[in-house]
Amino acid sequence: DPDMPFVPSIPEDQFILVEEGDPTVIPCRTSDPSAQVTLINSLDKAVYAFYDSKQGFIGNFPAGSYTCKTVVKGVEFKSDEFLIYILRATSQLPVEIEALKTVYKTGETIVVTCVVFDNEVVNLQWNYPGKVKEKGLIKLDDIKVPSQKLVYTLTIPEASVKDTGDYECTARHATKEVKENKKVVITVHDKGFVHLEPQFSPLEAVNLHEVKNFVVDVQ
């Protein structure tokens, strides 16, 4: 079609997500298989890459915007703009689970953090005693400086004894068959249960070189 040298693209094709280091396709396809097509970057400079009229330009491209252009009977046509986003994704899934403390009293707030390093394409799921009641609040922080890490924070407000158990996060790679599982055990007590009774005064005097014992009764 000389009036439509580029096959119209759908919006989903114009946003291209690529894992770091992987080749991709910029899908500006032509209705004329013999058309001469040039790939242009955001600086309006030509980018040299292999072209297949049925697929588009194939190669490893930096993040940014790209446009294809061709000339039909002396008239220049441009394709839609294609935006490439580079996602960091290692083949391994370094994951750590952290809890400020593992023993709580009723009414306190439980906080557990699961951190995924060097990866942006991850699906993460939590399993914990109150999951059925959707008791937990989940927050995600995507930190890129000084290094890439995804910080998932699970918060359980107003903890009860029923919140005692395993707190588990499972990270799955979005494009590879890789997963990593981490777990921490949290205990919630109905009330505090330690009583301290010192058998000495708030202020004690000791002579030089004297050995003196300080006794504490713990119940």
Side-chain angles (χ1 to χ4, degrees):
D1 181 353
D3 296 323
M4 187 70 69
F6 288 108
V7 177
S9 57
I10 58 175
E12 289 82 356
D13 288 339
Q14 293 174 241
F15 296 91
I16 305 167
L17 301 179
V18 191
E19 289 184 27
E20 193 174 49
D22 283 357
T24 189
V25 176
I26 297 176
C28 50
R29 299 175 294 126
T30 54
S31 58
D32 177 4
S34 62
Q36 298 297 309
V37 183
T38 304
L39 182 62
I40 302 296
N41 63 17
S42 59
L43 301 175
D44 206 30
K45 292 184 177 180
V47 178
Y48 298 98
F50 174 75
Y51 182 71
D52 181 339
S53 63
K54 294 181 181 179
Q55 297 184 65
F57 284 97
I58 303 169
N60 291 79
F61 303 104
S65 65
Y66 295 85
T67 308
C68 303
K69 70 178 183 180
T70 189
V71 176
V72 179
K73 296 179 180 180
V75 180
E76 183 179 275
F77 290 86
K78 287 188 176 181
S79 71
D80 293 322
E81 183 182 41
F82 298 93
L83 297 172
I84 292 182
Y85 296 91
I86 305 294
L87 299 176
R88 183 164 176 76
T90 56
S91 57
Q92 302 299 316
L93 269 183
V95 178
E96 290 183 4
I97 193 167
E98 301 169 353
L100 293 178
K101 59 181 184 175
T102 56
V103 178
Y104 291 84
K105 291 188 296 183
T106 295
E108 291 185 324
T109 299
I110 298 173
V111 179
V112 182
T113 301
C114 198
V115 185
V116 181
F117 298 92
D118 300 326
N119 216 305
E120 291 182 279
V121 281
V122 172
N123 296 317
L124 188 131
Q125 290 184 328
W126 286 98
N127 279 309
Y128 57 96
K131 184 176 181 179
V132 175
K133 295 183 179 179
E134 297 183 348
K135 189 173 181 180
L137 306 173
I138 299 171
K139 185 181 75 167
L140 168 61
D141 292 309
D142 186 354
I143 299 171
K144 300 186 182 299
V145 177
S147 60
Q148 171 65 45
K149 62 181 179 180
L150 298 174
V151 181
Y152 297 84
T153 304
L154 173 67
T155 304
I156 311 290
E158 295 292 326
S160 70
V161 175
K162 292 181 180 179
D163 292 308
T164 295
D166 294 345
Y167 285 70
E168 187 176 59
C169 68
T170 303
R172 287 182 172 82
H173 200 293
T175 60
K176 297 180 177 66
E177 292 298 321
V178 180
K179 75 173 183 177
E180 188 69 31
N181 182 277
K182 295 289 181 179
K183 181 177 72 173
V184 65
V185 179
I186 300 289
T187 304
V188 182
H189 293 286
D190 186 37
K191 58 185 177 181
F193 58 90
V194 176
H195 176 68
L196 302 178
E197 190 172 305
Q199 297 179 6
F200 49 86
S201 304
L203 180 64
E204 294 276 352
V206 184
N207 294 324
L208 185 65
H209 303 307
E210 178 188 356
V211 176
K212 192 165 186 177
N213 294 323
F214 296 89
V215 179
V216 178
D217 180 31
V218 183
Q219 298 178 0

